[in-house]
Amino acid sequence: MRSVLLLCCLFVAAQAKLTWENTKFFFVFGDSYTTTGFNVSAGINSTDPGFVSSNGPNWVQAMRDTYNVAGTKVFNLASGGATIDSKLVTPFEPTVLSIVDQVAQFKQILASKPPGAEWNSSNALFAIWIGINDCGDSFNWSNTTQPAFNKVLMARLSTQIEELYSFGARSFLFLTVPPVQRAPLWVVQGSAITKLLAADIANYNFQLAATAESFVATHKGFEATLFDTQPVFNTLLDGAATFKFTNTTGFCDAYQNGTPQISTQIAPCAPVSTYFWLNSLHPLFTIHNMLAHALLSVISA
């Protein structure tokens, strides 16, 4: 774990002044790596049904339940399969809420600071983890270049950050796209594909960092932490023996849709908790917990 923490701390673009210990409200936007099934439209005090892609607590739940030191209240607007804007990259189902849709939900329900969500600019942290599906669905498009389309994506994401800023959001946490080219979905497609996707992800992350830096430079009071997820994933994947992962390149078919217990074992597979990937794209709760731990070492500084 120490090596993971050290690597992550090197990739902070701008350390937010609001620390985790002083965060009273945590608003989260993203995709299947982030969603917990929370439906804010059913009421701001609704409990999430516990749906996660990690077969156990994901990083948001770990921050809310395991590492919550300030009674932080979490509002998770993420939607599985989300892209920045469904008009730019179409999600796998029309019901998926893009970042544009998620911000619209925030505007409708939470921007007014209703009872139970009386946040303000000095006690609320806004986290955005998006881009996995944007990159995965567009990296091999032939009608544009990767850098050119990522610029379009960043322009659209910027409008949503601007929208949140207009409501009073000042402290932001941006997570980069992890090395999902190492997920089973892409590994089986060969090195040419994984190299192309990796290049796209690298450019996307570079432009995300530039976008965050631009907002810090041009928006009064704007604070941003850019957390690079790549070192966490790569350290864990490269150190499989150290971290006691049975498998880091594939998954067990019997586990891919979830298991009754986080320690379930169905022969001939090893216990589900010893795998890195639950299915073709989603890492297990163990990875999410390490990610949350590393992340908190940065935003608690």
Side-chain angles (χ1 to χ4, degrees):
M1 176 62 72
R2 179 176 172 80
S3 60
V4 175
L5 295 180
L6 289 175
L7 280 168
C8 290
C9 291
L10 296 176
F11 287 82
V12 181
Q15 177 62 54
K17 295 178 182 177
L18 177 66
T19 65
W20 184 241
E21 293 81 357
N22 297 319
T23 299
K24 297 301 181 183
F25 296 93
F26 188 39
F27 299 102
V28 191
F29 306 82
D31 54 30
S32 60
Y33 274 46
T34 296
T35 185
T36 57
F38 175 75
N39 181 11
V40 69
S41 63
I44 63 171
N45 293 315
S46 299
T47 56
D48 61 63
F51 171 78
V52 289
S53 66
S54 49
N55 206 52
N58 69 9
W59 71 280
V60 178
Q61 291 171 318
M63 292 179 70
R64 182 192 67 190
D65 302 331
T66 304
Y67 303 115
N68 195 335
V69 296
T72 304
K73 192 167 185 177
V74 178
F75 294 94
N76 190 343
L77 288 85
S79 178
T83 57
I84 292 173
D85 187 342
S86 59
K87 293 180 180 178
L88 294 176
V89 180
T90 305
F92 75 101
E93 288 183 349
T95 54
V96 171
L97 301 179
S98 68
I99 293 296
V100 171
D101 298 320
Q102 293 170 35
V103 171
Q105 273 198 331
F106 179 89
K107 178 180 180 179
Q108 179 186 3
I109 301 170
L110 297 166
S112 63
K113 308 174 179 63
E118 304 92 337
W119 64 278
N120 61 53
S121 298
S122 62
N123 68 8
L125 179 62
F126 291 75
I128 301 175
W129 193 8
I130 197 67
I132 294 172
N133 298 309
D134 293 280
C135 291
D137 290 344
S138 70
F139 75 97
N140 59 353
W141 286 359
S142 59
N143 61 340
T144 185
T145 66
Q146 293 172 341
F149 187 64
N150 287 334
K151 185 175 181 180
V152 173
L153 290 173
M154 285 302 108
R156 190 63 176 125
L157 181 61
S158 293
T159 65
Q160 301 311 294
I161 301 170
E162 190 79 58
E163 185 91 342
L164 292 172
Y165 180 85
S166 73
F167 302 141
R170 292 296 181 270
S171 296
F172 286 79
L173 168 65
F174 300 101
L175 287 81
T176 66
V177 174
V180 290
Q181 77 276 1
R182 302 184 68 173
L185 174 66
W186 303 110
V187 169
V188 298
Q189 298 187 45
S191 61
I193 291 295
T194 58
K195 288 178 180 178
L196 188 62
L197 177 56
D200 187 26
I201 291 172
N203 180 264
Y204 177 97
N205 288 340
F206 174 81
Q207 293 202 37
L208 177 65
T211 298
E213 291 174 358
S214 176
F215 267 89
V216 170
T218 59
H219 290 68
K220 183 178 180 180
F222 192 97
E223 302 167 356
T225 297
L226 179 73
F227 181 84
D228 194 349
T229 65
Q230 294 256 338
V232 178
F233 277 68
N234 285 326
T235 298
L236 296 176
L237 286 164
D238 294 340
T242 300
F243 295 102
K244 302 186 185 306
F245 293 123
T246 300
N247 190 318
T248 58
T249 58
F251 61 95
C252 175
D253 288 342
Y255 302 153
Q256 62 180 319
N257 295 316
T259 62
Q261 304 294 330
I262 59 177
S263 58
T264 293
Q265 180 173 9
I266 301 174
C269 297
V272 62
S273 58
T274 66
Y275 284 75
F276 189 98
W277 304 101
L278 176 66
N279 47 41
S280 64
L281 185 61
H282 301 100
L284 277 151
F285 66 95
T286 48
I287 313 308
H288 281 265
N289 183 67
M290 294 181 188
L291 177 71
H293 192 266
L295 196 161
L296 287 168
S297 74
V298 175
I299 64 174
S300 296

